[in-house]
Amino acid sequence: MRKVYNKILSISGNVISVEAEGIAYEELAEITSWRGKSLAQVIKLEGNMVYLQVFAGSRGISTDDEIRFLGHPMQVSFSDDMLGRIFNGSGEPRDGGPPLTENVIEIAGPPVNPAKRIVPKRMIRTNIPMIDVFNSLVASQKLPIFSISGEPYNELLARIAMQAEVDMIILGGMGLKFDQYMFFRNILEEGGALGRSIFFIHTADEPVVESLMVPDLALAVAEKFALQGKEVLCLLTDMTNFADALKEIAITMEQVPSNRGYPGDLYSQLASRYEKAVDFEGSGAITTLAVTTMPGDDVTHPVPDNTGYITEGQFYLKNGRIEPFGSLSRLKQQVNDDTRSDHRAIMDGMIRLYALYKETEEKRAMGFRMSSWDQKLLKYGGRFEAGMMDLSVKISLEDALDRGWEILAECFTPEETGLRTELIREYWPVDLDAAEEESAEESADDQAEAEETAVEETTEADTETTDEVTKLDG
Amino acid sequence: MNQRIGEIVGISGNMINVKFEGAISQNEVGFAISGDERLKSEVIKIQNDIASLQVYESTKGLMIGDRVEFSSNMLSIQLGPGLLTQIFDGLQNPLPEIAEKYGFFLPRGVVLDSLGDDRPWHFTPMVKPGDVVIAGTRIGHVPETQFTHYIFVPFNFLGEYTVESIVDEGDHPVNGTIATIKDDRGQTIELSMQFNWPVKIPIKNYQQKLMPTETLNTNVRIIDTFFPVAKGGTYCIPGPFGAGKTVLQQITSRHADVDIVIIAACGERAGEIVETMREFPELTDPKTGRALMERTIIIANTSSMPVAAREASVYTATTLGEYYRQMGLNVLLLADSTSRWAQAMREMSGRLEEIPGEEAFPAYLESRIAEFYERAGIVELSDGEFGSLTIGGTVSPAGGNFEEPVTQSTLKVVGAFHGLSRERSDARRYPAIHPLESWSKYESFVPAESIRIAKDFLFKGSEVHQMMMVVGEEGTSIEDFIIYLKSEFVDSVYLQQNAFDEVDAATSPERQTLVLQKIGEILDVEFQIENKEEARKFFYDLRQAFIDLNYIQMGTDEFTRQEEVINDLIKGAVEA
Ligand SMILES: Nc1ncnc2c1ncn2[C@@H]1O[C@H](COP(=O)(O)OP(=O)(O)O)[C@@H](O)[C@H]1O
Ligand SMILES: [Mg+2]
C-alpha cells in the first residue's frame, strides 16, 4: 500500500500541493474529501513539493483531506466489455454498470513513428456534396468542424458518423450539455450503432478540469482497437472546452500566457491528441472528427487558429451550411484523383466562380447595376447554394459532379468556366456544336455594332474553333 | 574521464532542474536515468549548483532524486557518407531503423547510430603521407548516390597536421580508420570517414562568403519570375493555415534545380512528411534520372514528437546542409515550420521563467532567427570551388496576422518574402503568393522589362478592381476595364499554377521566358473593344487557350499547335 498524506499545503484554483517523497511526474493520486473521491495528477515536482491538478475541482477540499498516491499514471481498462458503455472524464462508469478493472493500459502513450505511417487513400463517403466533392473526407484524417455555438455541429457530426462505414465509434464529450449527450445516444441507438460505441462523457455541469483526460482516454482506447484491426471513428466535442481547461490550469500555475490567456504549449497539447489519428499498416485506423466552437465566430481565436494549423483541414459550418471558404480537406488530393477525371476541376472551378459570385453579390448589395456577366454569376450563386451547399442535399459524389456540370451549363458558356477544353468536351451536358454556333451568332450580333473588320476577324476565329471541335469529335 | 553526475530536484513539463557538482557547460548533453531508460537532455541554464535541462523525451515517470549523467559533449550529429536518402528525427535517430526494431511507436530513450550500417564505401584517397592538412582538408572521397562525397579532416581540428598514413583506394566501412594524422606535439589521431559536429555551431571552413546572385530555379512561375530565390539566399513563406505553405515546399522539394534537398518537417503534421517519404523513392528526378530520394535527407520531428527535439531539428538540418555545401554542392534546406521551432523556444523560455517578450516569445527570438538564416550562403571553399546553402522557411503566424514576432523577425533577415494570402487560397488561386505584397531582393532570369510590364498590369488591375468594387462595373471605363481583364488574365494563366498536374507543376526557365514574353505582347496591345461583354469574351477565350497550353508538354507538336492558336488569337486582336 502506498503512503497516505493528509496535509495539503496549498489550494489554488484546481491545483493543490503536498509535501511527499518518491512521487513520479504525471503520477495519479486519489483525494478523499467529504464530497467523495477524486483523481488528481502530478503536474509539477519541486524538491519535495508535489503539485497536483484535481479533476473533480478543489471546491470543498480541506487541508486535512486524505491523499493517496497510486504509483502509476492515468490508466484505463481496455476490453470488448467497454462496447456500449458510458464512462466519465476519469474513466469511471456513469451508466450504472460495473467498473472495469482488468487489462489496464496507459493513456497518452508515445507518438507513432512517422516512418510507420502510410499515405491515406481511402475516401469516406458522406453523400454531402460540400464534403464529397469539395473537401473529401479520408480514413485516418483528423478534422474538426469549426462553428459558432448554436449551429447544428453535433447533428453534422452524428450524420457523418452514421454514414461512415466504421467498425466502432468512440465519443469523447467535453462540456457536453445533457441534451446533446442524449442526442448522440439516441441517434446511435436508432442507427443500431450503440453496441459498437463507447462514450467518455464530461458534461457541462462538471468541473472543467475533469474534461482534460477525455481526449486521451478516448484516443488510448481507440488506438488499442485500431491495433486490433478495427476501423475506429473518434468524435471529440467540444475541443474548445478542453483547451479552456488547459488554460485554467496554466493560469493557476502562473505560466506566462502566450495569447489571450492560453498557454504557450497549446499547439503541442492539441497536436499530441490530434496526431493520434492514424492508419496502421496491416491493421485498423483511427479517424478523428472534432468540434471546435469559435468564440465570437472568430477563426483567429487561439483555439481554432492552433487547431487549423494541426488538423488536416476543417469544415466551416455557418448558417447551417458548410462554407466553401474556410473549409478544407488537406487529404482530398489523396483520393480525388481516381474518383472521376472531372472531380478536381469541378472542385476548384466551381469554387473559383463562387468566389466571383460573392463579389458580385457584394456589389449588388451596394446597389450597383448588374452587367449580364453579373447576372450570370448571381444565377450561378443561387443554384450552387441550393443544389450543393444546402445540408439537406444528400446525393452521391458522382451525382453531385453531374449536378455541378448542369449548374455550370445552365449559367455559363464553356470558356467562361475557365475549365480546360478537354474536360468540357467530355462532360459539358449540352450539345457543344449547337452551343458554339449559337454563341458565334450571338457574338456576331453584338459585333454588328462594332467595326466591320473586327467582325470578320472574330467570326473567322470562332469558325476555326468550331471546326476543330468538329474534327476532334468526329 | 570521471563521470559527472547530478540529481533531479525539480520537474515541470519537459524541463528538469538538476543539482550538480563540479563543472558542466552550457548546451552540454546529459542523460536523465529513469529505470533502464536514458532520456537525452540538454543544459540550457546554469545557476549556482542547479542546471536546467530540456529533456528530449517525455518526462512522465521521472522522480526527484533520479540520476543525471553529463556527457561533456554538446548536442552533436554524425557527418559522413550515408546521410542521403535517410529519414531522421530531430536528433538524427534514423526513423526507419527505429520502426524496424520497435514497431509502430517511438519508444523513449532510444539512440541509434545515424550512419549505423557497416556497408562498404569505395574510398579514394586524395592526400599522401607527409602532406600537411588542416580542418576541412579533403583527404579522400567516396561515391554517394550520384555525388562525390568528400571525406574531410574534422572541421573543429585546430592547427596543422601531418598525414602519417592513409589507406589505399578500396572499400571501407564508415567507422573504420582510413588515415592517421599527427599534430604539432607529435600526437597521432585516427580518422574515419565520419565525425561529430555540434549542431548549434555553424560550419565555417570556407574562404569567404559571397553575395547570392544566381537564381535558384524552383520552376514555380510566380516565384522564379516575380519573387526569385537565389542560390545561397534565404526566403520565407508566411501564411495562415491552409494557404498552401506546405504544398509549395513540397513542389519545391521536387522541382528545385539544386543538388541536394534537406527537408525539415519541424513540428507540423506527420502525414505530410509521410507523403514525401513514400513518394520520393518512387519519383525520378528528370535531371538525373535517379530517384528523388537520392538527393534528399528528411528530418522529421513532427508535432506530436518531443518539443525539445523539435527545437534541435532545425539545427540538425542546417548542419547537414552546411556539411554538403563543403563538398561544393548546392543545397536547399526547406523548414516547415519555423514558427514551431520558435514556439519550442517559447515553451522552454516559459519554463525557465525568463522575462517574456511579445506574445510570450523570449527576448532572444529575433537573434536566434537571424542566426539561423545567417547559416545560409554561397561560399568559396578553400580550393576555389563554390557551394551554397539556401534556406526557405515557412512561418505560421497566429491568426494569420503577419504583425507577429516570428514573421516580423524573419522578414528583417531574409532575402525574399513569399506571403500567402487567405483571400487567394479561398478563391483557389494557387500558389496563393500575394503578387503585390511579396518581394524579393534577388534577380530573375526573365528579362526585367517583361516582368515590369506584367507587374505593372497586376498593380493597375488591382486598383481598377478596388475601384470597381466601389463604383461598379458600369462606372468603370472600358480602358480601365481592359486593364482589369489583362491583370486577371496574367493572374489566371501565369501566377496560378496547378501543383497537382504533371506538366503544369513545373515550368522551366525557358518556358517561363517564352510564355511571359507572349503575355507581354498581349499586354502591350491597346485593344479597340467597345463593349465590356465582348472584352470579357475575348480575354476568356485567350485565357482558355493559355490554360490549355499550360497543360501541354513543351517541345511537342501539340504545344506548337496550341501556340499557333494563341498567335492567331493575338494576331486577330492586333489587326483589329
Ligand atoms: N498549389 C496548390 N494547388 C492546389 N491546391 C493547393 C495548392 N496549395 C495548397 N493547396 C490546397 O490547400 C491545402 C492546404 O495546403 P497546405 O500547403 O497544406 O497549407 P499550409 O501548409 O499553409 O497550412 C492542400 O491540402 C491543398 O488541398
Ligand atoms: Mg503546412
Side-chain angles (χ1 to χ4, degrees), chain A residues 309 330, chain B residues 241-242 244-247 268-269 272 336-337 394 396:
Chain A
Y309 277 116
R330 293 167 186 269
Chain B
F241 62 81
K245 300 179 292 296
T246 303
V247 170
E268 296 270 312
R269 302 172 192 85
E272 293 170 342
D336 186 14
S337 152
T394 66
S396 317

Side-chain angles (χ1 to χ4, degrees), chain B residues 96-113:
Chain B
E97 279 78 358
I98 293 182
E100 220 166 274
K101 269 183 113 151
Y102 300 94
F104 282 118
F105 299 97
L106 285 171
R108 261 198 336 184
V110 167
V111 179
L112 289 186
D113 221 349

Side-chain angles (χ1 to χ4, degrees), chain B residues 331-347:
Chain B
V331 186
L332 173 62
L333 164 59
L334 299 168
D336 186 14
S337 152
T338 60
S339 292
R340 306 300 161 220
W341 164 62
Q343 284 179 344
M345 285 193 266
R346 176 169 74 183
E347 281 185 36

Side-chain angles (χ1 to χ4, degrees), chain B residues 309-327:
Chain B
R310 185 198 299 170
E311 192 250 357
S313 68
V314 163
Y315 297 107
T316 297
T318 313
T319 305
L320 292 173
E322 288 172 334
Y323 178 57
Y324 279 96
R325 176 172 66 187
Q326 288 295 121
M327 297 177 205

